[in-house]
Amino acid sequence: MIVSGEWLRDYVTLTMDMEQLAERLTMVGLEVEAVEKPYAYLQTVVVGRITAVEAHPKADKLKICRVHDGHQERRVVCGAPNVAEGQRVPLALPGTVLPSGMPIQEATIRGQVSQGMLCSQKELQLGEDASGIWILPQETPIGLSLADALDLDDVRLDVAITPNRGDCLSMVGMAREVAAICGTSVRYPVIDVKETGPRIETLASVTVEDPVGCPRYAARLIEGVTIGASPQWMQRRLESAGIRSINNIVDVTNYVLLELGQPLHAFDFDRLRERRIVVRRAVAGEKFVTLDGVERTLFDDTLLICDGQGPVAIAGIMGGLESEITASTTRVLIESAYFQPECIRRSSRKLGLRTESSYRFERGVDPEGVLRAADRAAQLMQELSGGSIAQGRLDVYPTPVPRPRIRLRVSKVNRFLGMNLSAHQMVDVLRSLHMDVESVDAETFEVIPPSFRPDVTREVDLAEEVARLIGYDKVPVTHAQVPLYSDPVDPHAQTRGELKRVLEAAGYHEVLTFSFTSEKALRSLRLVEDDVRLQPVRLRNPLSEEQAVMRTSLLPGLLQTARLNLDRGNTDVRIFELSKVFLPRQGELLPREDHHLVGVVVGRRDPRPVYGAEDPVDYTDVKGVVEEVLAALHLDESQYRLTRDALPPYGDPRYGATLEVKGRGVGSLGRIHPDVQEAFDLNREAYYFELDFEALFALRNPHPGFVPLPKFPSVVRDMALVVEAKLPVADPLAFIRSLPEPLMESVSIFDLYRGKPLADHQKGVGYRIVYRAADRNLTDEEVNAVHERVTAQVLERFQATLR
């Protein structure tokens, strides 16, 4: 938006210069991008009087003029054909740079000194006449700069208007903001319409078929106009805003657009068929030729202005060729309307057509300013082109656009802004912006924004208005308090991460399988019918039958992954997954989501060809990695045991075990049952471990912390037993650990033997016991006494003999 200071002063009294105003406008949210002085070059162009004219001695077409500049007389060589003694003319003094970029200096032309230049209108860019020098009125003061003489000492502001401030896209709109800044009042243009014609209802009519797209449509009619050029003052004001002057009728519509912010359109009334206006939606594919001569294909949501037979304008965007103002126009219908902003914005983008009108309509114009703009245009047209204005106005406004009633709480605004403003200060600001403010109580007000401010709808909008007029620089600066803290460590996630690192160190690769599986895969585990794992949560819209239910075990996914690797030539597989399984809960909609840890190993124990042998993995491999997992949870050997009780159906009973920790079953390990192996199409033996991570997490021991090294040496004694072959070696081990012997530090197995001279139903097991005292060296007598006591209890408990 280009704001002319000279034009702005018609509506408001400024209490500061334009440079200061530019700064204040920027501070209230209307950023001024540039401050321009378009006629600064006229300061060195003065009004001169030609006192004498002589022929140039060496050029037939040149003359030597003596020109008085108000201080002295100058000799100027001039070639204009209309130069004459006594004329008052624009004299460009040496040092002037004309708009064309040509500098004026004292020069010698054909041997004669020229001390300036007499200028035409076109050379000064103040008109199109280039036939001779510009002859100024005789009453123009001599010596006065042309800028002052023509009142062109103007300063223009280039203001960037944000999309929500469509009310500032006019001189009056900017004057309202300036008045609020300067503490003055707005002088609205005086509108005095002299209606001397017949009633408008007898001449024309308006029908609005789409009141949503066009809530209000008004029209004025003026007859007997004479089309001609606009006066210089209007042309200059239009040109200052970048609008080309066309004729006195069209120029008035553009002038009112710039003055009041209300786009208008002027129709040649005699070219409107049936002398009526119809506002309707276009038919999809309908064609229309706009003023720029382009035929456009319309959409079914394009709003059209039609006469009695067809379209004459695209509403709010551009008129058509068939009804434009021409030199023969004598009757003009003035359109002033309020169109739905969304409708105009959508049509403008679809058609790729943006105009000064659409720019304003799509941001929202004042629905209550429609009649004022129509009256203003009719007044100016009558003044500039003659004619008579029809009595009355056509105004179709079935449903007035409502104005919101907003509750303003003083304390809430102060808290929002971080300020301590009084109610009086807030009310003064809002009233200076033409808002109606009524008191509810001492701290609460009801505010009705003006119709030209559709962007103000909430209490926070009022707070913004208060802040920007009081001054954003008055808002206290506070620094954000950003406390630095870290979230507490999630022990569950931390433990999962530690176990993953243990397994990775053991050569296993982590895999992530789908949370969905098939019922067939679950049944392939040989589970009994009443097993809860055969009652999975079913998906309503599964991607496929292979992913129709939520998994209740991680094992099928890992076995399928192992088969996938074997099928592709990767015959040595060590994989694990620590993820959720979804176990149904009786009587509840959602399942229980527990973390399980499952691993599968297939192939050679050491797949490296240089260092490894061809020995395949076996039960001891999965047993060893399970012991590593238990050690990572700080579980001592005395706190867990492996048993052959309650082996799962998918494990081979010959090579498997269940794991108990502190008396609670937490999983199993061993070889995959041959039937399961066949069901998953595995062509090599596979071993697995399956652990309930939730149970292990609950049973884990805290980190033992630092334990000092022993100060006194240990004493070792061995116990070699002959026991029944079917007796698990872990039973005597657990029994020895349970004995209340304070000097016994640890027990381990060091030997297992079968063969001659033992019988077939016997085996030999060697247990190594370490004794130590924390406060002294042990003697052989002390150790022997304890060891004999332990040995006797073991022999009696397990009917064993010493080997």
Side-chain angles (χ1 to χ4, degrees), residues 486-498 501 595 693-694 697 700:
S486 61
D487 290 331
V489 176
D490 180 1
H492 194 281
Q494 185 180 34
T495 304
R496 295 201 308 269
E498 291 173 355
R501 288 190 288 273
H595 283 83
F693 176 80
E694 305 294 348
F697 180 74
R700 77 193 191 286

Side-chain angles (χ1 to χ4, degrees), residues 113-148:
V113 175
S114 181
Q115 298 173 306
M117 175 180 172
L118 302 183
C119 305
S120 67
Q121 285 185 348
K122 190 167 186 178
E123 288 169 329
L124 296 175
Q125 286 192 358
L126 295 176
E128 295 300 321
D129 188 3
S131 60
I133 60 171
W134 187 5
I135 310 302
L136 300 173
Q138 284 297 315
E139 64 271 13
T140 308
I142 299 172
L144 197 64
S145 72
L146 199 61
D148 294 335

Side-chain angles (χ1 to χ4, degrees), residues 525-541:
L525 296 179
R526 303 178 69 244
L527 301 172
V528 295
E529 285 300 324
D530 60 350
D531 195 307
V532 70
R533 288 171 289 184
L534 289 182
Q535 302 170 16
V537 176
R538 303 179 186 279
L539 302 182
R540 287 185 177 178
N541 298 298

Side-chain angles (χ1 to χ4, degrees), residues 227-236 238 244-253 255 384-385:
I227 305 300
S230 297
Q232 284 294 319
W233 65 267
M234 179 172 282
Q235 291 187 32
R236 284 203 303 270
L238 292 178
R244 179 176 58 88
S245 175
I246 298 175
N247 57 54
N248 49 2
I249 299 299
V250 176
D251 287 357
V252 165
T253 62
Y255 182 85
L384 302 184
S385 64

Side-chain angles (χ1 to χ4, degrees), residues 529-560:
E529 285 300 324
D530 60 350
D531 195 307
V532 70
R533 288 171 289 184
L534 289 182
Q535 302 170 16
V537 176
R538 303 179 186 279
L539 302 182
R540 287 185 177 178
N541 298 298
L543 297 174
S544 67
E545 284 300 318
E546 297 300 316
Q547 298 179 351
V549 298
M550 302 295 289
R551 67 187 179 195
T552 54
S553 171
L554 299 178
L555 192 56
L558 266 71
L559 293 176
Q560 291 167 346

Side-chain angles (χ1 to χ4, degrees), residues 274-334:
E274 300 180 14
R275 305 296 184 266
R276 64 192 182 98
I277 291 291
V278 178
V279 184
R280 64 169 174 85
R281 297 277 179 168
V283 178
E286 189 172 357
K287 306 290 186 180
F288 180 66
V289 180
T290 49
L291 277 172
D292 55 3
V294 178
E295 184 180 68
R296 302 183 186 275
T297 302
L298 307 178
F299 301 88
D300 59 2
D301 56 356
T302 304
L303 193 65
L304 286 180
I305 309 300
C306 305
D307 59 13
Q309 298 181 23
V312 292
I314 301 175
I317 300 177
M318 185 176 285
L321 282 175
E322 294 184 0
S323 60
E324 69 172 331
I325 301 297
T326 65
S328 60
T329 298
T330 59
R331 294 200 293 177
V332 176
L333 183 76
I334 305 168

Side-chain angles (χ1 to χ4, degrees), residues 145-257:
S145 72
L146 199 61
D148 294 335
L150 300 179
D151 199 17
L152 294 177
D153 188 16
D154 194 15
V155 178
R156 297 176 187 170
L157 306 180
D158 187 355
V159 185
I161 307 297
T162 53
N164 66 312
R165 293 304 307 274
D167 62 296
C168 290
L169 291 171
S170 67
M171 296 303 302
V172 168
M174 291 301 302
R176 285 191 289 255
E177 290 291 309
V178 173
I181 292 171
C182 296
T184 57
S185 58
V186 180
R187 295 187 295 272
Y188 289 95
V190 177
I191 301 175
D192 181 17
V193 180
K194 296 179 176 60
E195 299 176 336
T196 57
R199 295 291 306 176
I200 190 172
E201 295 85 354
T202 64
L203 302 173
S205 66
V206 171
T207 302
V208 177
E209 296 181 357
D210 183 9
V212 175
C214 178
R216 188 173 197 179
Y217 191 99
R220 275 276 192 184
L221 181 62
I222 181 170
E223 299 179 296
V225 301
T226 301
I227 305 300
S230 297
Q232 284 294 319
W233 65 267
M234 179 172 282
Q235 291 187 32
R236 284 203 303 270
R237 287 191 169 179
L238 292 178
E239 290 166 1
S240 71
I243 297 178
R244 179 176 58 88
S245 175
I246 298 175
N247 57 54
N248 49 2
I249 299 299
V250 176
D251 287 357
V252 165
T253 62
N254 288 329
Y255 182 85
V256 175
L257 175 141

